[in-house]
């Protein structure tokens, strides 16, 4: 959040209740580029230059592989099944072990293997319980936002090559975990194709990791907010959990070779250091919580979609705190991060308010409700710690009731996300006192 916007919000808070207002305009996050890398201190440039080169080479290789498949075809192939937000649900990870030996599970596993990109990752939102990918077929269907207009932060340059390799919406993580479960039921040669695909997937995640330990939403890099370090939807934490399991040979990942286990463990530790460094501080220098996205080079909070501002985020921070509290031997730095994060979430709780649908005309509104359970805003300005809300036209507001009907209806601006973390902290803090 820029300094001017923080001052505006802080002034409003100190002055008491005022009329709601448009308080700013959401700005796009800059893409990770060679020009920006060239402006880094000399000691940092080489690693980032190598990363950019690796991304560009892999993107070119992925495109070339698809073009080569199509050269041998006499007719175009149909697009993959239409993307669905429920794509990950077609790869269930909580079934009894024996289910993963079933014909239904093998159909999903074969589909997963067929849609793996040359880079080793997978696209998002694709149903995996359909037919395998055809030769020459796109790796993803159109992931373009149907409401996007020219200049929209979510507008893909190429709708047929968007999110081709991503950790968004549980993609790649779910595929690797599902393959591991199927391989566990097929020891020996029968499961080798699934083990090798999972190993390639882990290699993809390691290749995608930034030199500073974070992960972009999409790799090879796609540009825009997809190049930002992505905590949104728990993406980075889920990658870390998977790498930790691979490093330990747990969760049916005992087949991972020793050298790859070592690389996974090192990557998880770099990511943990990044998370600790990314914990934001208030005006007095006290640690608070985390943003949804971070600009890769500066670690400044970054915007994402038009209505998602660069700000503190209560939901992702709560999930991140649960992850930190799950670590077996938390360091002093981890413990300090947890204590500070929990204290911040407690202080940000909104009381005597309810987020409800009034009627079909007024839609969802934040209303007074004495005695209502605590709520948290999804976003808080990093400077003032006041709730902040975005609209599809990129305007930023200090009152959720002032944004458009469509965005009030279609986004979770308030929730109870921190409750689980606060409850877990009750027991955790008894073991790891401040």
């Amino acid at each position: 959040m820029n300094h001017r916007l923080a001052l505006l919000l802080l002034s409003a808070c100190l002055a008491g209740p005022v009329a709601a207002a448009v308080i700013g305009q959401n700005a796009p996050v800059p893409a990770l580029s060679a020009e920006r890398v060239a402006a880094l201190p000399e000691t940092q440039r080489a690693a980032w230059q190598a990363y950019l080169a690796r991304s560009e080479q892999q993107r070119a290789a992925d495109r070339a592989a698809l073009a080569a498949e199509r050269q041998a075809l006499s007719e175009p192939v149909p697009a993959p099944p239409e993307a669905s937000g429920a794509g990950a649900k077609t790869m269930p990870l909580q079934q009894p072990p024996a289910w993963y030996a079933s014909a239904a599970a093998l159909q999903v596993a074969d589909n997963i293997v067929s849609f793996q990109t040359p880079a080793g990752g997978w696209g998002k939102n694709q149903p995996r319980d359909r037919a395998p990918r055809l030769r020459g077929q796109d790796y993803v269907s159109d992931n373009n936002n149907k409401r996007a207009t020219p200049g929209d932060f979510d507008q893909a340059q190429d709708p047929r090559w968007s999110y081709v390799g991503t950790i968004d919406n549980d993609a790649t993580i779910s595929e690797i975990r599902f393959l591991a479960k199927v391989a566990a039921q097929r020891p020996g040669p029968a499961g080798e194709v699934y083990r090798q695909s999972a190993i390639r997937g882990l290699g993809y995640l390691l290749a995608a990791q930034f030199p500073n330990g974070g992960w972009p939403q999409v790799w090879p890099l796609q540009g825009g907010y997809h190049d930002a370090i992505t905590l949104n939807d728990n993406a980075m934490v889920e990658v870390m959990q998977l790498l930790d399991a691979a490093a330990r040979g747990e969760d049916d990942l005992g087949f991972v070779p020793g050298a790859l286990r070592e690389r996974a463990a090192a990557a998880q530790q770099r990511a943990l250091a990044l998370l600790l460094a990314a914990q934001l501080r208030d005006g007095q220098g006290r640690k608070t919580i985390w943003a949804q996205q971070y600009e890769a080079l500066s670690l400044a909070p970054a915007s994402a979609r038009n209505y998602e501002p660069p700000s503190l985020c209560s939901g992702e921070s709560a999930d991140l705190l649960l992850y930190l509290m799950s670590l077996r031997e938390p360091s002093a730095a981890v413990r300090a991060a947890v204590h500070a994060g929990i204290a911040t979430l407690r202080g940000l709780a909104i009381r005597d308010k309810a987020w409800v649908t009034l009627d079909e005309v007024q839609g969802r509104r934040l209303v007074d409700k004495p005695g209502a359970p605590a709520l948290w805003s999804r976003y808080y300005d990093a400077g003032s710690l006041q709730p902040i809300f975005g609209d599809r036209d990129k305007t930023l507001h200090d009152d959720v009731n002032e944004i458009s009907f469509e965005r009030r209806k279609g986004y979770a601006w308030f929730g109870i996300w921190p409750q689980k973390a606060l409850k877990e902290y009750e027991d955790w803090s008894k073991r790891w006192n401040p």
Side-chain angles (χ1 to χ4, degrees), residues 214-399:
W215 272 274
Q217 186 187 59
V218 177
W219 194 84
L221 298 176
Q222 184 173 319
Y225 71 83
H226 310 292
D227 292 3
I229 295 171
T230 302
L231 275 60
N232 195 19
D233 292 335
N234 221 20
M236 183 168 160
V237 166
E238 289 183 0
V239 173
M240 294 171 68
Q241 290 170 324
L242 174 60
L243 292 180
D244 188 49
R248 298 175 184 275
E250 298 174 348
D251 296 349
D252 296 313
L253 289 162
F255 59 84
V256 175
L260 187 57
R261 288 191 188 191
E262 292 178 4
R263 292 176 61 201
Q268 189 270 348
Q269 286 299 305
R270 289 195 301 274
L272 179 58
L274 182 280
L275 288 180
L276 296 179
Q279 189 171 18
L280 298 169
R281 295 177 182 267
D282 64 14
Q284 285 71 49
R286 296 171 297 196
K287 292 180 180 179
T288 57
I289 50 177
W290 289 263
Q292 267 191 340
Q293 293 87 213
Y294 290 84
E295 197 283 314
L297 299 179
S298 68
L299 291 190
S303 61
R305 290 173 289 189
N306 286 20
Y307 46 86
E308 294 175 323
S311 54
L312 302 177
C313 185
S314 61
E316 273 67 14
S317 293
D319 287 336
L320 199 157
L321 287 165
L322 284 167
Y323 170 71
L324 294 179
M325 285 188 280
S326 76
L327 298 178
R328 303 178 190 193
E329 292 293 333
S331 65
V334 167
R335 298 196 299 270
V338 171
H339 294 310
I342 291 292
T344 301
L345 288 177
R346 285 174 172 167
L348 294 177
I350 299 168
R351 305 189 184 280
D352 300 320
K353 298 281 188 180
W355 176 235
V356 297
T357 300
L358 294 179
D359 54 46
E360 293 184 1
V361 175
Q362 298 181 80
R364 302 191 81 179
R365 295 273 179 176
L366 186 69
V367 300
D368 292 331
K369 188 176 181 180
L375 279 178
W376 283 263
S377 176
R378 186 174 187 88
Y379 300 117
Y380 293 85
D381 174 66
S384 68
L385 302 186
Q386 295 300 301
I388 185 172
F389 312 94
D391 216 335
R392 199 172 286 281
D393 65 358
K394 305 174 189 173
T395 56
L396 300 176
H397 301 252
D398 59 3
D399 185 346

Side-chain angles (χ1 to χ4, degrees), residues 163-211:
Y163 293 96
V164 178
T166 182
I167 58 173
D168 192 33
N169 287 8
D170 302 311
T172 300
I173 300 133
S174 294
E175 280 85 351
I176 293 171
R177 287 192 176 276
F178 191 93
L179 290 172
K181 289 180 177 295
V182 170
Q185 300 302 310
R186 297 175 75 80
E192 188 63 16
V193 64
Y194 308 121
R195 288 188 288 274
Q196 289 304 315
S197 183
I199 287 170
R200 285 187 59 219
L202 291 170
Y204 165 87
L205 293 174
L206 295 175
Q209 188 177 30
F210 285 138

Side-chain angles (χ1 to χ4, degrees), residues 73-212:
L73 300 177
S74 57
E75 296 181 0
V77 295
E82 185 177 353
S84 165
K89 293 182 180 179
T90 63
M91 297 172 278
L93 300 177
Q94 304 300 326
Q95 296 282 11
W99 182 84
Y100 295 96
S102 69
L106 290 176
Q107 179 185 6
V108 172
D110 289 338
N111 186 301
I112 288 172
V113 171
S114 72
F115 274 94
Q116 189 169 25
T117 70
W122 285 269
K124 74 170 185 175
N125 295 340
Q126 290 298 141
R128 300 301 186 198
D129 54 356
R130 312 290 174 82
R133 175 179 171 270
L134 300 172
R135 183 174 180 82
Q137 194 172 45
D138 288 332
Y139 296 105
V140 298
S141 60
D142 184 357
N143 273 304
N144 219 22
N145 189 321
K146 302 305 182 288
R147 294 192 182 97
T149 56
D152 193 293
F153 297 164
D154 211 21
Q155 182 77 28
Q157 292 181 347
D158 182 351
R160 299 182 65 179
W161 197 276
S162 181
Y163 293 96
V164 178
T166 182
I167 58 173
D168 192 33
N169 287 8
D170 302 311
T172 300
I173 300 133
S174 294
E175 280 85 351
I176 293 171
R177 287 192 176 276
F178 191 93
L179 290 172
K181 289 180 177 295
V182 170
Q185 300 302 310
R186 297 175 75 80
E192 188 63 16
V193 64
Y194 308 121
R195 288 188 288 274
Q196 289 304 315
S197 183
I199 287 170
R200 285 187 59 219
L202 291 170
Y204 165 87
L205 293 174
L206 295 175
Q209 188 177 30
F210 285 138
N212 61 10

Side-chain angles (χ1 to χ4, degrees), residues 42-109:
E42 187 174 357
T43 56
Q44 299 177 27
R45 285 179 212 155
W48 285 98
Q49 287 169 341
Y51 182 90
L52 281 181
R54 184 167 74 247
S55 174
E56 287 300 317
Q57 290 166 3
Q58 188 61 64
R59 174 180 288 277
D62 289 355
R63 292 261 193 178
L66 182 59
E69 287 183 359
R70 289 176 172 170
Q71 279 185 343
L73 300 177
S74 57
E75 296 181 0
V77 295
E82 185 177 353
S84 165
K89 293 182 180 179
T90 63
M91 297 172 278
L93 300 177
Q94 304 300 326
Q95 296 282 11
W99 182 84
Y100 295 96
S102 69
L106 290 176
Q107 179 185 6
V108 172

